[in-house]
């Protein structure tokens, strides 16, 4: 019931209206990202430092609920999850703090989807802790590669996973044109050689993205 129940209904409708060969995945926000939504982004670092025990208790309860939600999503035959972590950035926490309040809960969540084949780790933000999370058990890593290091090429040297990115979601996909799209795709292709790479924006595609720009991406990909 509630928001999570509505999302499961949404998954059921999607599954009924796509070919069996089309993979689909469910977005899952990390427990720490959900806690951030409860206490406020600016308040999160202070809350964790002032109330560490209470924070861990809340994170544990959020983790339990999230794992139960994932099990219900599996009944709708999802192919994986888009696992979004939002505080693995030096602009909010230290590596030690993320290891304490984030990583163990992340790994607990990801342990429940090892039977799925299309799990994407999304590292949100800039100045990210790529090295801390690059070995998470997932098949694909997505981050704001045009806004934060590492680049696609650098990341492929650090991990054997598929890297996912190449396009700026606002400057290029919302405000740009076909020439800008072509430039960024060609650059990403050169960085990766077209191997172990999925073309995408560094984060979610904005609802305001012009359909013509989405079509332009498809045309460039087909030409490659």
């Amino acid at each position: 019931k509630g928001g999570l129940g509505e999302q499961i209904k949404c998954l059921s409708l999607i599954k009924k209206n796509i070919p069996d060969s089309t993979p689909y995945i469910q977005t899952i926000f990390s427990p720490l990202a959900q806690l951030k939504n409860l206490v406020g982004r600016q308040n999160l670092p202070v809350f964790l430092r002032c109330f560490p025990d209470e924070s861990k208790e809340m994170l544990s309860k959020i983790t339990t609920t999230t794992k139960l939600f994932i099990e219900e999503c599996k009944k709708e035959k999802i192919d994986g999850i888009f696992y979004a972590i939002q505080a693995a950035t030096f602009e909010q926490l230290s590596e030690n703090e993320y290891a304490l309040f984030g990583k163990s809960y992340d790994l607990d969540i990801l342990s429940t989807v090892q039977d799925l084949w299309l799990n994407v780790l999304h590292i949100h933000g800039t100045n990210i802790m790529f090295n801390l999370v690059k070995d998470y058990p997932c098949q694909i890593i997505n981050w704001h590669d045009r806004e934060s290091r590492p680049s696609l090429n650098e990341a492929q040297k650090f991990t054997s996973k598929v890297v996912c990115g190449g396009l700026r979601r606002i400057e290029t996909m919302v405000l740009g044109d076909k020439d800008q799209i072509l430039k960024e795709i060609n650059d990403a292709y050169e960085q990766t050689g077209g191997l172990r790479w999925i073309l995408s924006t560094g984060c979610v595609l904005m609802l305001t993205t012009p359909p013509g720009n989405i079509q332009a991406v498809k045309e460039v990909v087909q030409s490659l």
Side-chain angles (χ1 to χ4, degrees):
K1 60 185 180 180
L4 298 182
E6 290 297 313
Q7 187 58 36
I8 292 168
K9 292 179 182 178
C10 177
L11 285 174
S12 179
L13 291 171
I14 292 172
K15 187 61 177 177
K16 291 176 181 177
N17 288 279
I18 59 173
D20 290 339
S21 59
T22 300
Y24 80 126
I25 62 179
Q26 168 66 40
T27 295
I28 299 293
F29 287 96
S30 73
L32 192 54
Q34 294 183 55
L35 181 60
K36 177 264 298 179
N37 290 338
L38 292 173
V39 302
R41 182 179 184 278
Q42 298 299 324
N43 298 329
L44 180 64
V46 176
F47 188 84
L48 296 176
R49 293 161 189 165
C50 292
F51 307 104
D53 293 337
E54 291 86 347
S55 295
K56 290 178 182 178
E57 182 179 357
M58 294 173 72
L59 289 166
S60 179
K61 291 181 178 180
I62 292 170
T63 299
T64 297
T65 300
T66 303
K67 289 165 67 176
L68 290 171
F69 174 62
I70 290 173
E71 291 305 315
E72 291 301 312
C73 291
K74 285 184 180 181
K75 296 177 183 178
E76 302 299 332
K77 307 299 182 184
I78 59 171
D79 295 287
I81 64 172
F82 182 87
Y83 188 68
I85 59 177
Q86 298 183 326
T89 163
F90 293 105
E91 295 175 2
Q92 279 208 288
L93 302 175
S94 69
E95 281 194 344
N96 286 339
E97 287 173 324
Y98 194 83
L100 181 63
F101 295 108
K103 189 168 185 176
S104 61
Y105 303 98
D106 292 338
L107 294 177
D108 193 5
I109 296 290
L110 290 170
S111 70
T112 67
V113 294
Q114 293 309 294
D115 54 331
L116 304 178
W117 69 276
L118 193 64
N119 298 309
V120 182
L121 172 66
H122 171 66
I123 314 169
H124 190 80
T126 54
N127 296 315
I128 59 174
M129 303 175 188
F130 190 88
N131 284 333
L132 185 66
V133 301
K134 64 182 174 61
D135 294 324
Y136 275 18
C138 59
Q139 291 82 13
I140 302 162
I141 302 181
N142 170 248
W143 71 103
H144 301 249
D145 66 284
R146 293 292 181 188
E147 303 163 48
S148 179
R149 295 189 68 181
S151 65
L152 295 175
N153 178 263
E154 290 171 334
Q156 286 192 328
K157 297 175 182 177
F158 301 147
T159 179
S160 61
K161 295 179 172 59
V162 173
V163 296
C164 179
L167 290 166
R168 293 180 297 174
R169 62 179 182 145
I170 297 176
E171 295 87 347
T172 299
M173 291 305 298
V174 175
L175 303 176
D177 56 21
K178 186 172 182 179
D179 289 341
Q180 181 64 29
I181 289 169
L182 177 61
K183 179 180 178 181
E184 290 195 353
I185 293 178
N186 283 338
D187 176 73
Y189 187 87
E190 290 176 3
Q191 286 191 56
T192 61
L195 302 174
R196 284 197 296 118
W197 165 54
I198 294 174
L199 174 66
S200 81
T201 47
C203 191
V204 293
L205 194 66
M206 305 295 287
L207 289 172
T208 52
T209 304
N213 279 354
I214 298 175
Q215 181 62 31
V217 172
K218 292 177 63 177
E219 291 174 357
V220 175
V221 170
Q222 290 166 352
S223 71
L224 291 173

